[in-house]
Amino acid sequence: MIITFVSAFLNHHQIMLCEELRKYCDEFYYISSKPIPQERLSFGYEDLEQKYSYVLRAYDGSVKEEYIEDVILRSDAVIFGECDDRYIELRMKENKLSFLYSERFFKKGTWRRFIPQTRKKIVRRVLQHKDKNLYVLCASAFLSHDLS
């Protein structure tokens, strides 16, 4: 089984999950879509991407885009965190099993659902794929409420 986790950057909150998934998979990949921000490094975050062989950095050209797309399409399941929507679109064209991992959408208040940009983001990320094999993993207690 091949499982891929796509998110902004690998952090200490995700390491235990990644290590467990790696144990039970034939292949496991973590695709990092952004470099770790400097302010995070100053808060004590560590740049962990060099330590783990399963990390593919999509943002710096160290791995070809075609290879990243191939990994995403070959995977039996993909977990999408913060990443470019084109990766989700790629999977949804093939209707392959995928999960959207997210914290709440309305951290700054549910009134934000009336802001056109917020509405467009939710439609683009979740609702347009409601008839596909895309499921939401709630990374907070409030996301299910936000989506309802």
Side-chain angles (χ1 to χ4, degrees), residues 93-104:
K93 282 181 186 173
E94 302 293 324
N95 197 22
K96 293 193 168 203
L97 180 62
S98 305
F99 299 90
L100 182 65
Y101 169 76
S102 181
E103 291 186 33
R104 68 179 307 178

Side-chain angles (χ1 to χ4, degrees), residues 33-109:
S33 64
K34 297 179 181 179
I36 187 166
Q38 286 300 317
E39 66 268 8
R40 295 284 176 109
L41 292 171
S42 65
F43 289 150
Y45 275 65
E46 185 180 354
D47 189 353
L48 299 167
E49 294 179 357
Q50 305 297 326
K51 288 185 176 183
Y52 298 94
S53 61
Y54 52 77
V55 177
L56 303 175
R57 292 187 311 276
Y59 59 86
D60 68 357
S62 63
V63 179
K64 291 186 178 185
E65 186 64 26
E66 294 84 21
Y67 182 71
I68 289 172
E69 290 176 1
D70 180 60
V71 166
I72 289 172
L73 285 174
R74 282 188 306 117
S75 297
D76 295 299
V78 176
I79 303 165
F80 292 106
E82 185 180 343
C83 67
D84 195 318
D85 289 340
R86 66 191 157 104
Y87 295 136
I88 298 171
E89 291 294 326
L90 188 67
R91 276 296 279 181
M92 292 302 95
K93 282 181 186 173
E94 302 293 324
N95 197 22
K96 293 193 168 203
L97 180 62
S98 305
F99 299 90
L100 182 65
Y101 169 76
S102 181
E103 291 186 33
R104 68 179 307 178
F105 288 123
F106 305 126
K107 275 185 180 177
K108 297 177 182 175

Side-chain angles (χ1 to χ4, degrees), residues 1-3 20-28:
M1 173 181 276
I2 303 171
I3 295 181
E20 285 300 311
L21 288 172
R22 196 174 80 122
K23 282 182 195 175
Y24 298 103
C25 297
D26 298 319
E27 294 177 51
F28 173 75

